[in-house]
Amino acid sequence: MSFRALSLTASLALGLSLFVFAIPLAPRMPEAGLDPSFAFALNMAVAQGLRFGHEIIFTLGPYASTYTAMYHPETDNLMLLGGTLIGLGYLACCLLLARNRHWLLTLLIGLLLVALLSSRDAFLLSYPLVMCLALTRLPDPERYQTSRSQWLEPLIVPILAAPLGLLVITKGSFAVICAGLLLLAALYLSAKGRRLQALFLILSPLIALFLLWRHAGQRAGDLPAYFLTQAPIISGFTDAMSWPGSLGEILLWGITALAMLIGLTLCREARPEKYFLLPGLSLFLLIAFKAGFVRHDMHVTIASDGLLLTAAFLLLWRPSPGIWLSLLLLPACWIKLDQQHPHTSTHPHLDSLQDLYRGSYEALWGRLTQPESLARRYENALTALQTGYNFPKLEGSVDIYSVNQAELFASGNAWKPRPIFQSYSVYTPALARRNAEHQQSHEAADTLLFRMEPIDGRLPALEDGPSWLPLLLQYSPTRTLEQGYLQLDRRPTPQPPYYKQLDVLQATLGEPVQVPQADGLLFAQIELSPSPTGRLSSLLYKSSPLTIELVLSNGETRSFRFISGMAKEHFLLSPAVFDTQGFAQLYSSDQQERLRVLRFKIYSQHSEFQWNPAFTVTFSMAAGPKSTSVTAPAPPASIPLSRAQVDSLDRAQCEGQLDTINGKVTTPQVVGSSQLVLQGWSTVSGKEGLTPQAVFIGLIDDAGNAELYRTLPQARNDVNAYFQQPALANAGYSLSIDASRRTKEQRLEIFRLVRGRLEHCQRPSIRLSFAATRP
């Protein structure tokens, strides 16, 4: 076989491998958790014909399943169509880039990508850059005039560019890199005298965007709203969703990325092209860096796989000495990041060589011979969800706060969501107002299933904070459901929300702010902005996180993560509400037991110079609901165990920890509050994604007798990210116990239910001394 034939065969093998990777032939099925819930919810939104940009506002669009690979019977065709279009684009890029390259190099690159690539986010994000590399390898026009394949010339550029139209309605944040590199590519083609191809390059993604949008059942007139509503989501992400991580990992990644840029700069063989590619590669690396390290958890795989894809296609583009030398750091960087934030584990990396082909073949064969199998697996997944959460079938429309839409869908209820349907992502004033206005309109759901579950240690009242007063006035509590949800039914004659401004104060970071005492509900608006240094830091990386410290009327001090964008609209400051039970108490006219906030301060533990020290606080008062029959969540009933029963339990090495007791680190302490509030996490096997059926907190007296309290599940993205297991999204737990009448010292220990057996965790006891509190 000739060198040219071998080269073509190798390039086809590489392209077809990426083509198969792009198409989710074996999609994920619905499951519990924060991330699976938003993936499921976006599929449901498309299936129900909800309008993106109006009724649904999220970072993902109607082709979200191309990105999430989540199955739904009504969106499976869109997922396959999107994957096919991306796969064809990658196939065309491979044929151009690997043309006349040594077949051994091409095969080696293909094997490495198949074995190591796992981040779908990086795979999609990299496509605009790969397209730009491929455009520089377009054959000369003179060649087509004497070639039998001259009819292909007008099709090459549209085939390469069309996936960009899909990407922006798959994930809205992809619009930045798609638009930036599309403009650069059009300028490059124009400078090369290929103005007709430049025109095709611009028109192709626009036409694809319009046709795909309409094919998904969306209105053409909603496209501007879809893109406009992406702006607050993209701009607010860095401040709201940042998570700390290792500086060493960042430096290693940055040095490797810089080496790639230097290698491209030193590439003498392609002087005209490299001046076009350098700004494109720089933009891609910046976006990959932020995607991977702003939320420094499992998202790091976006950055590491982004480098992997960049290296692979740079080698295909120009296997020059400069490019080879620039990649010397890549193995160390990729291995380091993969060890700290594993995609899966070492063996699956090796097995994925056969899994991609065999698994895809089996999935395709199953689709052709047993087309009902996916639908059957889908129904089985819903049955498992419904069995685990047991939501009742309710009349009318239903929405769920704050996440966990998957459990709601499994119950068969009619979903009618607020526009930003997961509360943790309502992180800018514009988004908060949108949800609050929705709750005051006739479009709001008839029933809400409400449970507080803030992420990242945030102040709970910040998440969807402006919607709280409409919830209190437009709905009334009916009952407490399993898993700690409060059922709220729409009132026949709802009260309109009204805020009465009390005071406006100028405050300073790190200094206490006195809170005025009011008879009703006290809301706050805090205008705290980053400094110019902080804005630059947020643009290039992320700003320093803020903490708010509350001093309460019972003498306690609680600290929480503070998100400045969430605090610019009204949020409830006092009485302090930290859990669902506290929210339910707001419906009561009895204010005696409410915890008031006496003062607070906001500070940054690291870099206060990234924030303007002066900020404004506006206090407003609002009347709560009138004459409401309150059905607050019942305090958890204890399960008494004698010493003999405790001693008879199996002792287990339990993964997890009890993080905080009343907002403080879990050390032996005196409980001076009327409530004992606990938060932690527990897994049976984080590596395998297994969690207990239930977690119990045990209070044990000196005689060895125990009182066990069942905890409520709680979202823990950090645990999920650490173990790289989506099933661990709800590995956290929380519990609130009445401590007002406890006086004796007791030991606190952890118990769990696993496969129907109660186990006693072998962990050090925590001694609690209960101070006298008001009965």
Side-chain angles (χ1 to χ4, degrees):
M1 187 177 288
S2 67
F3 173 85
R4 186 173 182 179
L6 285 171
S7 177
L8 178 61
T9 302
S11 62
L12 274 173
L14 171 61
L16 289 174
S17 297
L18 296 180
F19 179 83
V20 171
F21 185 89
I23 305 175
L25 293 172
R28 302 162 54 200
M29 289 295 155
E31 57 184 320
L34 186 152
D35 287 350
S37 284
F38 81 63
F40 196 177
L42 291 162
N43 282 345
M44 287 293 291
V46 175
Q48 292 182 195
L50 300 181
R51 299 166 61 194
F52 281 76
H54 293 281
E55 295 169 304
I56 290 290
I57 298 173
F58 206 68
T59 187
L60 297 171
Y63 283 82
S65 56
T66 302
Y67 167 81
T68 64
M70 175 73 76
Y71 177 80
H72 188 285
E74 299 296 325
T75 62
D76 188 47
N77 63 327
L78 299 182
M79 179 173 62
L80 295 178
L81 174 61
T84 300
L85 186 57
I86 294 292
L88 287 173
Y90 264 110
L91 175 60
C93 289
C94 290
L95 290 174
L96 285 171
L97 287 168
R99 179 170 50 91
N100 297 329
R101 295 289 178 239
H102 199 287
W103 63 273
L104 281 176
L105 173 65
T106 305
L107 281 183
L108 176 62
I109 289 173
L111 290 174
L112 286 174
L113 287 180
V114 171
L116 302 179
L117 181 64
S118 67
S119 172
R120 196 164 185 83
D121 212 316
F123 179 71
L124 298 177
L125 183 65
S126 301
Y127 181 78
L129 177 65
V130 176
M131 179 204 72
C132 288
L133 290 169
L135 286 174
T136 65
R137 298 268 292 158
L138 287 174
D140 294 331
E142 292 79 7
R143 178 186 170 191
Y144 280 110
Q145 295 175 2
T146 58
S147 172
R148 296 179 181 178
S149 57
Q150 58 181 333
W151 59 275
L152 282 173
E153 180 187 8
L155 299 179
I156 293 179
V157 169
I159 290 174
L160 291 176
L164 301 187
L166 168 72
L167 288 175
V168 297
I169 54 175
T170 296
K171 190 173 185 180
S173 56
F174 286 160
V176 177
I177 191 167
C178 288
L181 294 191
L182 184 66
L183 178 60
L184 277 173
L187 291 174
Y188 168 76
L189 290 177
S190 297
K192 298 282 286 186
R194 299 182 172 189
R195 293 183 177 83
L196 183 59
Q197 289 182 327
L199 179 63
F200 287 161
L201 184 79
I202 297 293
L203 291 179
S204 177
L206 294 177
I207 294 171
L209 166 65
F210 179 80
L211 294 178
L212 291 168
W213 180 263
R214 293 292 296 130
H215 182 67
Q218 298 295 307
R219 304 180 189 178
D222 288 343
L223 263 172
Y226 168 74
F227 287 111
L228 289 173
T229 53
Q230 292 298 312
I233 296 175
I234 296 171
S235 64
F237 178 87
T238 298
D239 181 29
M241 299 301 292
S242 63
W243 191 254
S246 167
L247 180 60
E249 294 175 10
I250 295 171
L251 290 175
L252 182 58
W253 188 94
I255 293 171
T256 307
L258 182 61
M260 288 186 179
L261 288 170
I262 294 174
L264 178 59
T265 304
L266 298 177
C267 186
R268 298 179 179 178
E269 296 88 345
R271 286 187 176 179
E273 290 84 0
K274 71 181 181 183
Y275 297 121
F276 148 60
L277 292 173
L278 273 171
L281 178 58
S282 300
L283 177 61
F284 168 77
L285 290 174
L286 174 62
I287 293 175
F289 171 76
K290 285 181 66 70
F293 293 109
V294 166
R295 190 160 187 84
H296 199 141
D297 50 20
M298 64 181 179
H299 290 80
V300 169
T301 59
I302 302 173
S304 62
D305 277 10
L307 284 184
L308 180 69
L309 284 159
T310 303
F313 285 103
L314 277 177
L315 279 180
L316 280 181
W317 176 71
R318 283 287 190 279
S320 64
I323 297 295
W324 277 107
L325 287 173
S326 71
L327 302 181
L328 291 177
L329 288 169
L330 179 64
C333 177
W334 194 92
I335 291 171
K336 171 68 173 177
L337 294 178
D338 187 64
Q339 286 176 342
Q340 297 298 318
H341 309 275
H343 301 264
T344 48
S345 67
T346 305
H347 295 294
H349 283 322
L350 301 176
D351 294 341
S352 59
L353 286 168
Q354 61 177 349
D355 287 348
L356 177 66
Y357 300 109
R358 186 180 64 186
S360 298
Y361 168 76
E362 291 174 352
L364 179 60
W365 183 253
R367 281 177 174 271
L368 295 174
T369 59
Q370 296 178 310
E372 74 287 351
S373 61
L374 284 176
R376 186 169 60 251
R377 287 178 55 207
Y378 173 80
E379 292 299 329
N380 289 341
L382 296 191
T383 301
L385 282 170
Q386 171 61 357
T387 302
Y389 288 85
N390 196 30
F391 283 150
K393 188 67 181 295
L394 302 169
E395 294 185 3
S397 56
V398 185
D399 193 9
I400 187 168
Y401 275 73
S402 67
V403 292
N404 298 316
Q405 283 74 22
E407 291 90 325
L408 177 64
F409 301 150
S411 68
N413 283 290
W415 182 50
K416 194 170 187 180
R418 57 207 184 277
I420 304 89
F421 56 86
Q422 289 194 323
S423 296
Y424 73 89
S425 58
V426 187
Y427 39 63
T428 67
L431 299 175
R433 286 193 297 269
R434 195 73 174 249
N435 270 7
E437 291 167 0
H438 171 83
Q439 290 304 148
Q440 299 173 46
S441 72
H442 67 279
E443 295 295 329
D446 299 318
T447 300
L448 301 180
L449 303 182
F450 183 92
R451 188 176 75 184
M452 289 177 58
E453 41 197 354
I455 68 169
D456 298 345
R458 293 176 181 173
L459 179 65
L462 288 180
E463 295 201 342
D464 247 328
S467 294
W468 278 28
L469 187 58
L471 292 186
L472 292 169
L473 300 179
Q474 308 282 332
Y475 293 85
S476 58
T478 304
R479 56 177 169 168
T480 302
L481 304 176
E482 293 185 28
Q483 308 296 336
Y485 282 94
L486 186 66
Q487 180 179 329
L488 304 176
D489 290 332
R490 195 166 179 83
R491 297 172 185 266
T493 55
Q495 302 169 233
Y498 173 73
Y499 299 98
K500 179 183 178 181
Q501 184 172 310
L502 295 181
D503 199 3
V504 179
L505 299 178
Q506 297 300 314
T508 305
L509 277 182
E511 298 296 326
V513 178
Q514 296 297 320
V515 175
Q517 299 305 301
D519 292 335
L521 306 177
L522 184 70
F523 287 80
Q525 294 168 276
I526 300 178
E527 288 284 342
L528 174 58
S529 59
S531 65
T533 304
R535 293 183 190 278
L536 180 61
S537 177
S538 181
L539 177 64
L540 299 179
Y541 178 39
K542 57 188 173 188
S543 54
S544 176
L546 294 168
T547 299
I548 184 169
E549 183 180 278
L550 307 178
V551 178
L552 307 176
S553 55
N554 65 352
E556 284 186 76
T557 299
R558 299 274 193 98
S559 298
F560 300 92
R561 174 83 181 270
F562 180 80
I563 309 299
S564 62
M566 288 180 156
K568 292 182 178 180
E569 291 293 312
H570 292 98
F571 69 94
L572 182 65
L573 180 64
S574 184
V577 175
F578 303 127
D579 52 28
T580 309
Q581 182 175 351
F583 183 86
Q585 289 173 349
L586 297 176
Y587 288 94
S588 172
S589 57
D590 182 12
Q591 301 184 24
Q592 296 300 315
E593 297 297 327
R594 294 182 180 178
L595 279 177
R596 294 287 174 179
V597 178
L598 302 181
R599 58 186 176 275
F600 70 89
K601 68 176 178 180
I602 301 172
Y603 60 92
S604 173
Q605 294 180 337
H606 305 292
S607 305
E608 288 197 354
F609 65 87
Q610 293 188 8
W611 298 93
N612 290 319
F615 62 93
T616 303
V617 183
T618 302
F619 295 108
S620 301
M621 189 181 71
K626 298 178 181 179
S627 61
T628 304
S629 176
V630 179
T631 305
S638 64
I639 304 171
L641 294 181
S642 66
R643 178 173 182 171
Q645 289 174 311
V646 173
D647 292 342
S648 68
L649 296 176
D650 292 336
R651 301 285 289 187
Q653 294 290 341
C654 301
E655 291 183 352
Q657 67 181 25
L658 181 61
D659 293 322
T660 60
I661 299 176
N662 287 350
K664 299 178 181 178
V665 177
T666 52
T667 56
Q669 56 186 269
V670 176
V671 179
S673 169
S674 60
Q675 291 294 119
L676 180 62
V677 181
L678 310 161
Q679 289 188 320
W681 65 273
S682 179
T683 60
V684 176
S685 172
K687 183 178 180 180
E688 297 177 14
L690 302 177
T691 56
Q693 294 170 261
V695 178
F696 298 86
I697 298 295
L699 296 179
I700 304 175
D701 60 24
D702 290 337
N705 300 314
E707 294 177 87
L708 267 59
Y709 294 86
R710 182 168 181 155
T711 63
L712 297 176
Q714 192 173 38
R716 286 296 294 261
N717 283 349
D718 55 332
V719 178
N720 173 15
Y722 179 81
F723 288 109
Q724 293 289 296
Q725 286 286 356
L728 299 180
N730 283 335
Y733 60 80
S734 63
L735 179 66
S736 180
I737 304 173
D738 183 7
S740 61
R741 301 184 186 277
R742 295 181 182 272
T743 56
K744 296 181 179 180
E745 186 175 273
Q746 292 182 305
R747 304 195 319 270
L748 188 153
E749 299 191 5
I750 309 295
F751 298 77
R752 68 182 189 181
L753 187 66
V754 178
R755 292 183 291 274
R757 295 178 61 87
L758 187 62
E759 298 177 342
H760 190 177
C761 292
Q762 292 182 346
R763 303 186 66 84
S765 300
I766 299 170
R767 302 293 299 189
L768 298 179
S769 299
F770 294 91
T773 56
R774 183 177 55 192

